[in-house]
Amino acid sequence: LALAANLALAQVTGTYPAVPLASKHFSYPSGIPYKVDTDQGLVRGTQLGYNICNSTTENQNSLCQTSIFNSLDDFCLWAPSEPGKTVGEIEGEMIAWCTKPGHGTRLIPAGTLTGVQFLKTPDYIQAVGFMDQTKIDMVDGDYGGEMDPHGADLRGNPMGGLVFSNKFTGQYLQAIEWHNFIGSNSFCFKACDPNGPNAKHYCEHIFDRIGCAYNAPNNARNGTFEACDSENQDFPGVYTGADGAVTTYRQPPESLGPITSVPYTARVPASSNCTPFESARIYTGLPEPTGVTTTGANPGPSGLSTSRTGSGTGSAGAPAPTSANGAQGRMAVSVGA
Ligand SMILES: *[C@@H]1O[C@H](CO)[C@@H](O)[C@H](O)[C@H]1NC(C)=O
């Protein structure tokens, strides 16, 4: 009987959408559907929020899942819709929290961000920063994880999440490839130029356990807000040894336990033309923080972590304590891959 029931269930549920999220392309804003993820009966359920976002959806209960990434003072992070759950538990249901009114989203409360570096490179834009993550409904001490438009079931994390930027050409374009790590009171968000030949490499999504230091190497500093030009990084996971040999790192599966060391340190690309800003001047029109005030231990940014929760022990090869390399990823969903 159980076998028959399971077979019946397998026939009405599936894992993969008809079209992977990364293959769904829209023009901004008129081409965007109410919901991007409309497949029924898939194992991860339905898209939490919506993609048409406007003045009626712009409030602190918004479930907008269309994210904007333009500049140091105009970007969004993927964060929870309500407090109490770790990124790993709800990576498929994250919503857009933005630094600027006008995108139909929630706003990142005043004082959340304590340092941000924005880089424009030939092939991508990147924002890396420090924050009090409890102010955007994240669990205090959560090491977090990686959001990207793939996920093990190709529906993306969050499911149905879109990212648009006007930074590449001056017109809004969908960033087909992007990744956003958040956790350990830090974040890194990279969106790759959709017309760049290596977008899927610079915005690689398979190194979800080794965080910002490897996926978005940077020299962001807490307390500093700056926008710079930068060279491209090396493709995440690709490094050149002392002997000149180029190697691609293979991230071990979670079944082998914590990652305690990585055989290289990612090269931080050279940046230039850095312009400093004062946060009070660039992040305006934002609400005061609400909700739970948590005072637990702050693990601080660390390189690698051995578990999703707890304090920041178990780091290996930790970068300088002021760099924003803590956000750590792990796939919570093991379907498909
Ligand atoms: C505003 O967004 C809501 C929610 O997505 C949508 O139902 C509504 O049609 C939008 N309004 C306009 C004028 O586009």
Side-chain angles (χ1 to χ4, degrees):
L1 189 64
L3 180 63
N6 283 342
L7 281 174
L9 190 63
Q11 283 160 7
V12 297
T13 63
T15 298
Y16 299 99
V19 179
L21 176 61
S23 300
K24 296 177 178 177
H25 302 167
F26 307 101
S27 58
Y28 183 90
S30 57
I32 299 174
Y34 178 61
K35 281 181 188 270
V36 159
D37 187 316
T38 53
D39 293 87
Q40 298 295 314
L42 301 185
V43 289
R44 281 211 289 165
T46 55
Q47 179 178 353
L48 176 70
Y50 40 78
N51 298 97
I52 294 180
C53 309
N54 52 41
S55 57
T56 66
T57 66
E58 185 162 312
N59 55 65
Q60 294 307 84
N61 296 313
S62 182
L63 297 178
C64 174
Q65 294 180 305
T66 296
S67 183
I68 301 297
F69 188 2
N70 290 335
S71 59
L72 177 69
D73 65 343
D74 189 8
F75 67 91
C76 312
L77 298 175
W78 296 116
S81 65
E82 53 187 40
K85 297 229 171 81
T86 63
V87 174
E89 293 172 293
I90 51 163
E91 61 184 359
E93 286 82 37
M94 304 297 251
I95 57 156
W97 292 70
C98 303
T99 63
K100 215 182 188 53
H103 302 310
T105 66
R106 290 189 200 201
L107 295 170
I108 296 173
T112 303
L113 302 173
T114 56
V116 179
Q117 183 189 57
F118 177 86
L119 300 182
K120 170 88 171 71
T121 85
D123 282 76
Y124 59 87
I125 54 175
Q126 174 175 293
V128 178
F130 300 81
M131 62 182 169
D132 176 352
Q133 68 187 26
T134 65
K135 290 186 167 68
I136 51 171
D137 287 355
M138 292 177 66
V139 173
D140 193 19
D142 180 15
Y143 280 110
E146 181 192 351
M147 270 60 67
D148 64 62
H150 300 275
D153 63 2
L154 308 182
R155 297 176 71 188
N157 288 306
M159 294 182 283
L162 299 179
V163 176
F164 289 88
S165 177
N166 65 17
K167 194 66 176 177
F168 302 118
T169 63
Q171 307 295 316
Y172 273 105
L173 294 181
Q174 185 181 353
I176 309 300
E177 298 290 351
W178 49 268
H179 58 214
N180 178 199
F181 289 76
I182 56 169
S184 300
N185 281 332
S186 60
F187 67 88
C188 53
F189 197 163
K190 186 193 296 157
C192 285
D193 185 337
N195 295 316
N198 293 305
K200 71 180 182 203
H201 295 299
Y202 287 116
C203 285
E204 184 56 84
H205 58 94
I206 63 173
F207 299 107
D208 59 325
R209 300 179 68 200
I210 55 176
C212 294
Y214 291 91
N215 287 284
N218 66 86
N219 51 26
R221 288 165 292 158
N222 203 356
T224 296
F225 295 83
E226 62 180 6
C228 312
D229 295 325
S230 174
E231 296 175 358
N232 288 327
Q233 66 170 102
D234 297 328
F235 296 156
V238 176
Y239 62 100
T240 303
D243 60 357
V246 176
T247 305
T248 301
Y249 172 69
R250 295 178 72 98
Q251 178 181 279
E254 282 190 54
S255 58
L256 296 184
I259 297 174
T260 55
S261 71
V262 176
Y264 72 103
T265 301
R267 179 184 69 88
V268 177
S271 52
S272 58
N273 299 325
C274 289
T275 307
F277 293 87
E278 283 175 46
S279 72
R281 294 246 173 107
I282 55 174
Y283 301 121
T284 57
L286 299 175
E288 290 303 312
T290 56
V292 263
T293 305
T294 42
T295 55
N298 173 2
S302 62
L304 300 169
S305 59
T306 54
S307 68
R308 178 181 303 287
T309 56
S311 62
T313 55
S315 68
T322 54
S323 66
N325 294 317
Q328 158 76 359
R330 274 171 43 156
M331 279 203 171
V333 178
S334 56
V335 288

